Amino acid sequence: METVLFYIFAVLTVAGGVAMVSLRNPLSGAFALVMSMVGLAALYAMLHAEFVFILQVLVYAGAIMVLVIFTIMLLNLNREELHEVPVSRIRLLVMGAVCAGLAWAAVRVLDQVPQAKVEMVADFGSIEAVGRLMLTDFLYPFEVISLVLLVAIAGVVLLAKRRI
Amino acid sequence: MGPVGMHHYLALSAILFFLGVFGVLFRRNLIVIFMSIELMLNAANLTFVTFARYTGNMDGHVIAFFVMALAAAEAGIGLAILVMVFRNRATVQADDLVMMRD
Amino acid sequence: MERYLWIIPFAPLLGAIVNGKLAALYARREKGPPEWVVSLVGCAAPILSFLVAAALFVQMRAAPASERLFTQTLYTWIAAGPVQVDFAFMVDALAMVMVLVVTGVGSIIHVYSVGYMHGDRGYARYFAYLNLFMFSMLTLVMAKNLPLLFVGWEGVGLCSYLLIGFWYRDIANAAAGKKAFIVNRVGDFAFLLGMFLIFVTTQRVGHPTLDVPALRALVGEHPQVFGGIATAACLLLFVGATGKSAQIPLYVWLPDAMAGPTPVSALIHAATMVTAGVYMIARMSFLYDLAPAAMAVVATIGAATAIFAASIGFAQRDIKRVLAYSTVSQLGYMFMAVGVGAYGAGIFHLMTHAFFKACLFLGSGSVIHAMSGEQDMFRMGGLAKTMKVTAATFLIASLAIAGVPPLAGFVSKDEILWMTFSTPLQPPWLPYLLWAVAFVAAGMTAFYVFRAVFLTFYGEDRVSAEAKHHLHESPAMMTVPLVLLAAGSVLAGFLGWPAALRGGNWFHNWLAPVFGGHDAGHGGEHALADVVGPVAASAGGHDATVEYALMALSVAIGLAGIFMAYRLYIKNPALPARITARLGRFYRMVFNKYYVDEIYEHTIVRPGYGLSDKVMFRFVDMGIIEGIVNGLGITARLVGATVRLFQSGVIRTYAFFLLLGFVLIVWRMVR
């Protein structure tokens, strides 16, 4: 059961990724990416990462991608503007092969890692557990990241204003 | 096909990562480049969570959380810059932006 | 007394520094420093040196012959491994003679200069240079080791250059100074090689040194080893001497050196610097004794130079030029003497020559001064009427150089002639050939000197009207030195009066210990028959007849020369012109100094310039060195241009390289 589900969601994710990098219209690409992220969310759920699963759906697919789609629609690109200078076929194939090769190499490397059957705590991946971690071991990064978000907000406002 | 193990998830994350790399290298549309970067980040997240699951250590989840927060910040600023570039240059083609040469 | 050795050279050095500073201080002003200050400092220094030397001499005389050596080491100059050279002075009998001559004649000439250079803008500079010269010359003479001698050697060369080109505003004078220095340098190079050869040989026997007394001991202990290199080393040193003492082939600078002030010509180019070569050979007599071949070369070149230069003196118009060639010729006699082993005789002639040649030069200076700068003898004549003292002293000095007894020139020149004739050499006919050459040259000497005398002071008056206005005898400051030197020319001979004429030859005996019994000389009580052979040593005996005969001959030829000059320039003044017309081409060749300068110019100087310009400048400097330097710049630019290609501005390229780097890093980490 688990295997079947894994493959379904894996294919979904990869298909979304492939679509995203190949479709000409970025809006289509954005939607493909959303689909990919949903697939990933499911995979997180399968990995007993409940908190991350929720976050993926809420933040990534729900907020970030929506922002991207907003921006795309704001730009309102027409056909000519979307036209990209075509890449030479050979270069495409070569780089494709290289990336595939690198991916395969990465997989091989990762295969070296020994897998052990691990004991998991009862509330593994739950919000309480992660929250507890964040407010104890990772307190400092937690606070810093709030600052980062603050700075990001200020920056974005400053950047996008027409008149300061 | 045996039971799904760590290796499968890791292989998947590798594939996703290099898909993202491919997209950054080969697409000229800035938005697509940006989204490819997001894809790469996601692949990284998957790796962290996988390792968390298979070592019983929840630090991976925390890291994934932070990555997501940073991705949000980065998305905001990146898109703001993109909008500014479009306003000034009326283009979203990466090849048209060669202001960084001497 | 030894403690005061340093005063002798350092007093003039101090004088040079003081006057030099004064000159520099006043350099930008219109007039120089007050002359009386400069004169006082400039003359006091050599006079002080002379007094110290005289005191030293007195002390030396009181000591027994074997103990006549004063040394003083000031400090260790070089201490680098096997090379240990001290700044050390040594005064033995030989050096004592030289020091007295240098300081004595030097002081006289300094006083003369006060009058001669009066009014010259460079007065202080002149005395500074002159004192500096005294310092260098005294260092040379008093040096205890070869490197220090070389320091003095170079120093006098430098001062010669500075003083020849004293009136540097005229580029011809500067060129003359340059010529002197460069020609000297050629000789110096050979000198250095000789010195190095000697040093290497001392290392071979395990006792590396360049200290003269130590060398003498070493040579005595290892005659085989030193005998092997002696010829080469002595010849090399001699080449240096030909440069410094103006012998063939490096004499060409001396006639040009007359561009300098006349007292300079007198001091440096007659009495002292040019004698440095002779002194050096006498100093190294112990080494020369091991190389009869080298000695033969020295003697032959000396004789050849003597006659060659004398012949040029026949045709010169400039009074100083005549004297210059005369100096070259007389130096030839000195070298001939040391070449046959008669070191004492050579030094004796050095001393007498200093007196009469300096007197002649200063006399000519007096004439030039009175003639407002005219130096052409054919525009003089009959000056004896107005310049009585100058004429008288000039005449006396001329008689001395012509070899008229009992003046000094006769005694010393005759001793040389006798020693040349009577010393057995290889090949056996060489002594007779050398004597013949020297004999003829003696006659020529008498001729050209009296030619100068008659043309200048007697005979018809050819002085231009405007020169006649200023014609007057020179002031006392200039005539008194003339008198002193003339007196020396008369009296100095008695110091070395030969035994054959019932004299004690005090001079020869004084120097004999220095030359270790190898000195050939017709001495008095001191005779070492076993070493030199029966021919040269005896005071009386069967050789006396030959000696008397030769003596008579040389006097005769001297008088003949004077008589010839009288006939040509007083009795029958039209005769010379007819003779020169008859001789035509030959005369012109002699007049142009046998075109030696022109030959050198074409064979050495032009190629030298060519090498310097075409090869060293164009090829080595501009081509190679600039090429390397420019090449560095070009390389930097090329590298930069190549690296710049990475800075395309295209973001995707940057992303690509990012990925590449990342993969590499991960690769390394995973390995």
Side-chain angles (χ1 to χ4, degrees), chain C residues 434-445:
Chain C
L434 292 175
W435 178 88
V437 169
F439 177 69
V440 172
M444 293 166 77
T445 305

PDB file of all heavy atoms in Angstrom, chain C residues 434-445:
ATOM      1  N   LEU C 434     119.477  47.585 -26.111  1.00  0.00           N
ATOM      2  CA  LEU C 434     118.769  48.535 -25.258  1.00  0.00           C
ATOM      3  C   LEU C 434     119.636  49.771 -25.021  1.00  0.00           C
ATOM      4  O   LEU C 434     119.161  50.903 -25.079  1.00  0.00           O
ATOM      5  CB  LEU C 434     118.398  47.882 -23.917  1.00  0.00           C
ATOM      6  CG  LEU C 434     117.350  46.766 -23.976  1.00  0.00           C
ATOM      7  CD1 LEU C 434     117.176  46.137 -22.606  1.00  0.00           C
ATOM      8  CD2 LEU C 434     116.026  47.294 -24.465  1.00  0.00           C
ATOM      9  N   TRP C 435     120.900  49.522 -24.754  1.00  0.00           N
ATOM     10  CA  TRP C 435     121.785  50.661 -24.495  1.00  0.00           C
ATOM     11  C   TRP C 435     121.823  51.571 -25.702  1.00  0.00           C
ATOM     12  O   TRP C 435     121.779  52.796 -25.575  1.00  0.00           O
ATOM     13  CB  TRP C 435     123.183  50.158 -24.135  1.00  0.00           C
ATOM     14  CG  TRP C 435     124.131  51.308 -23.922  1.00  0.00           C
ATOM     15  CD1 TRP C 435     124.350  51.981 -22.757  1.00  0.00           C
ATOM     16  CD2 TRP C 435     124.933  51.945 -24.919  1.00  0.00           C
ATOM     17  NE1 TRP C 435     125.258  52.994 -22.957  1.00  0.00           N
ATOM     18  CE2 TRP C 435     125.628  52.999 -24.275  1.00  0.00           C
ATOM     19  CE3 TRP C 435     125.155  51.731 -26.265  1.00  0.00           C
ATOM     20  CZ2 TRP C 435     126.523  53.823 -24.950  1.00  0.00           C
ATOM     21  CZ3 TRP C 435     126.037  52.568 -26.939  1.00  0.00           C
ATOM     22  CH2 TRP C 435     126.711  53.600 -26.294  1.00  0.00           C
ATOM     23  N   ALA C 436     121.931  50.949 -26.892  1.00  0.00           N
ATOM     24  CA  ALA C 436     122.023  51.748 -28.110  1.00  0.00           C
ATOM     25  C   ALA C 436     120.790  52.620 -28.270  1.00  0.00           C
ATOM     26  O   ALA C 436     120.879  53.823 -28.560  1.00  0.00           O
ATOM     27  CB  ALA C 436     122.199  50.832 -29.312  1.00  0.00           C
ATOM     28  N   VAL C 437     119.643  52.015 -28.087  1.00  0.00           N
ATOM     29  CA  VAL C 437     118.385  52.763 -28.219  1.00  0.00           C
ATOM     30  C   VAL C 437     118.367  53.918 -27.217  1.00  0.00           C
ATOM     31  O   VAL C 437     118.075  55.066 -27.569  1.00  0.00           O
ATOM     32  CB  VAL C 437     117.180  51.824 -27.985  1.00  0.00           C
ATOM     33  CG1 VAL C 437     115.895  52.632 -27.854  1.00  0.00           C
ATOM     34  CG2 VAL C 437     117.056  50.831 -29.133  1.00  0.00           C
ATOM     35  N   ALA C 438     118.702  53.602 -25.969  1.00  0.00           N
ATOM     36  CA  ALA C 438     118.665  54.628 -24.937  1.00  0.00           C
ATOM     37  C   ALA C 438     119.686  55.727 -25.211  1.00  0.00           C
ATOM     38  O   ALA C 438     119.439  56.904 -24.959  1.00  0.00           O
ATOM     39  CB  ALA C 438     118.926  53.995 -23.578  1.00  0.00           C
ATOM     40  N   PHE C 439     120.812  55.321 -25.739  1.00  0.00           N
ATOM     41  CA  PHE C 439     121.879  56.277 -26.057  1.00  0.00           C
ATOM     42  C   PHE C 439     121.391  57.286 -27.099  1.00  0.00           C
ATOM     43  O   PHE C 439     121.548  58.501 -26.934  1.00  0.00           O
ATOM     44  CB  PHE C 439     123.087  55.489 -26.547  1.00  0.00           C
ATOM     45  CG  PHE C 439     124.231  56.342 -26.973  1.00  0.00           C
ATOM     46  CD1 PHE C 439     124.956  57.068 -26.037  1.00  0.00           C
ATOM     47  CD2 PHE C 439     124.599  56.426 -28.308  1.00  0.00           C
ATOM     48  CE1 PHE C 439     126.029  57.854 -26.418  1.00  0.00           C
ATOM     49  CE2 PHE C 439     125.672  57.208 -28.699  1.00  0.00           C
ATOM     50  CZ  PHE C 439     126.390  57.921 -27.768  1.00  0.00           C
ATOM     51  N   VAL C 440     120.812  56.756 -28.168  1.00  0.00           N
ATOM     52  CA  VAL C 440     120.295  57.633 -29.217  1.00  0.00           C
ATOM     53  C   VAL C 440     119.219  58.538 -28.640  1.00  0.00           C
ATOM     54  O   VAL C 440     119.179  59.751 -28.903  1.00  0.00           O
ATOM     55  CB  VAL C 440     119.736  56.803 -30.390  1.00  0.00           C
ATOM     56  CG1 VAL C 440     119.023  57.696 -31.384  1.00  0.00           C
ATOM     57  CG2 VAL C 440     120.856  56.029 -31.071  1.00  0.00           C
ATOM     58  N   ALA C 441     118.353  57.934 -27.839  1.00  0.00           N
ATOM     59  CA  ALA C 441     117.258  58.720 -27.258  1.00  0.00           C
ATOM     60  C   ALA C 441     117.801  59.843 -26.385  1.00  0.00           C
ATOM     61  O   ALA C 441     117.208  60.920 -26.315  1.00  0.00           O
ATOM     62  CB  ALA C 441     116.348  57.806 -26.435  1.00  0.00           C
ATOM     63  N   ALA C 442     118.941  59.586 -25.733  1.00  0.00           N
ATOM     64  CA  ALA C 442     119.525  60.630 -24.889  1.00  0.00           C
ATOM     65  C   ALA C 442     119.915  61.833 -25.735  1.00  0.00           C
ATOM     66  O   ALA C 442     119.661  62.987 -25.373  1.00  0.00           O
ATOM     67  CB  ALA C 442     120.733  60.088 -24.140  1.00  0.00           C
ATOM     68  N   GLY C 443     120.515  61.533 -26.877  1.00  0.00           N
ATOM     69  CA  GLY C 443     120.867  62.623 -27.782  1.00  0.00           C
ATOM     70  C   GLY C 443     119.624  63.362 -28.238  1.00  0.00           C
ATOM     71  O   GLY C 443     119.573  64.605 -28.266  1.00  0.00           O
ATOM     72  N   MET C 444     118.576  62.598 -28.563  1.00  0.00           N
ATOM     73  CA  MET C 444     117.340  63.223 -29.016  1.00  0.00           C
ATOM     74  C   MET C 444     116.744  64.087 -27.904  1.00  0.00           C
ATOM     75  O   MET C 444     116.204  65.173 -28.177  1.00  0.00           O
ATOM     76  CB  MET C 444     116.341  62.145 -29.441  1.00  0.00           C
ATOM     77  CG  MET C 444     116.791  61.388 -30.676  1.00  0.00           C
ATOM     78  SD  MET C 444     115.844  59.877 -30.934  1.00  0.00           S
ATOM     79  CE  MET C 444     114.343  60.549 -31.601  1.00  0.00           C
ATOM     80  N   THR C 445     116.846  63.581 -26.681  1.00  0.00           N
ATOM     81  CA  THR C 445     116.309  64.349 -25.551  1.00  0.00           C
ATOM     82  C   THR C 445     116.972  65.710 -25.485  1.00  0.00           C
ATOM     83  O   THR C 445     116.301  66.741 -25.377  1.00  0.00           O
ATOM     84  CB  THR C 445     116.551  63.598 -24.235  1.00  0.00           C
ATOM     85  OG1 THR C 445     116.010  62.292 -24.330  1.00  0.00           O
ATOM     86  CG2 THR C 445     115.932  64.328 -23.069  1.00  0.00           C
TER      87      THR C 445
END
